Amino acid sequence: MTTWNLQGMKHHLLICNGSSCLKRGGEEVTQVIREQIANLDADAFIHTTRTRCNGRCEDACVVIHYPEGIWYKDMTPEIGKQLISSILNGQVVPDSNIIYRYQDGHFLSTSKAAIGISKAKSFQ
């Protein structure tokens, strides 16, 4: 297994490749994002990781951007290309693709996010 040296990385994209996301273009999104990073010579700044399931199947295809803490939904290859350009220019892709944004110490959901199940449990 490869162990990447992540020193100097400024951005990490977690690209969902779970079954729902794959059915909605997850493989194509992954390839286009990685190609765009290479084409823009941004390999030293942006790292990608394929994930299995990010738990947002209704919002497929999902890409998570850290350290910004932004969860994107309905990703397409075209929006994936735009995402990389936006990251390098210090911008964000359109709000219509944002599910969650980390702000003031917690995640805020957009009105366009699919309602999920609660993970909160009572521990006694």
Side-chain angles (χ1 to χ4, degrees):
M1 176 185 285
T2 302
T3 301
W4 296 107
N5 180 355
L6 298 177
Q7 289 183 309
M9 286 293 161
K10 296 182 181 183
H11 305 276
H12 188 186
L13 299 177
L14 304 167
I15 308 167
C16 187
N17 277 219
S19 61
S20 293
C21 287
L22 286 177
K23 288 177 188 172
R24 291 165 111 191
E27 177 62 27
E28 293 81 7
V29 169
T30 302
Q31 293 307 317
V32 166
I33 285 175
R34 288 179 170 176
E35 287 170 9
Q36 186 75 347
I37 290 168
N39 291 342
L40 296 174
D41 201 26
D43 290 308
F45 307 108
I46 304 173
H47 181 71
T48 63
T49 300
R50 289 178 194 253
T51 64
R52 284 290 181 198
C53 179
N54 293 328
R56 300 296 308 179
C57 300
E58 289 184 41
D59 293 318
C61 177
V62 174
V63 174
I64 305 169
H65 178 195
Y66 281 103
E68 279 70 13
I70 299 174
W71 289 51
Y72 294 100
K73 68 176 189 146
D74 300 328
M75 292 298 289
T76 64
E78 295 77 27
I79 298 170
K81 284 177 100 173
Q82 181 184 354
L83 174 60
I84 301 308
S85 296
S86 297
I87 289 171
L88 293 174
N89 294 322
Q91 301 169 340
V92 176
V93 298
D95 282 347
S96 61
N97 291 91
I98 295 176
I99 308 168
Y100 293 104
R101 182 186 301 267
Y102 193 77
Q103 186 175 330
D104 299 326
H106 60 279
F107 285 99
L108 303 175
S109 67
T110 68
S111 60
K112 295 169 182 66
I115 302 298
I117 60 171
S118 177
K119 289 184 74 171
K121 293 182 180 179
S122 174
F123 294 97
Q124 298 176 340

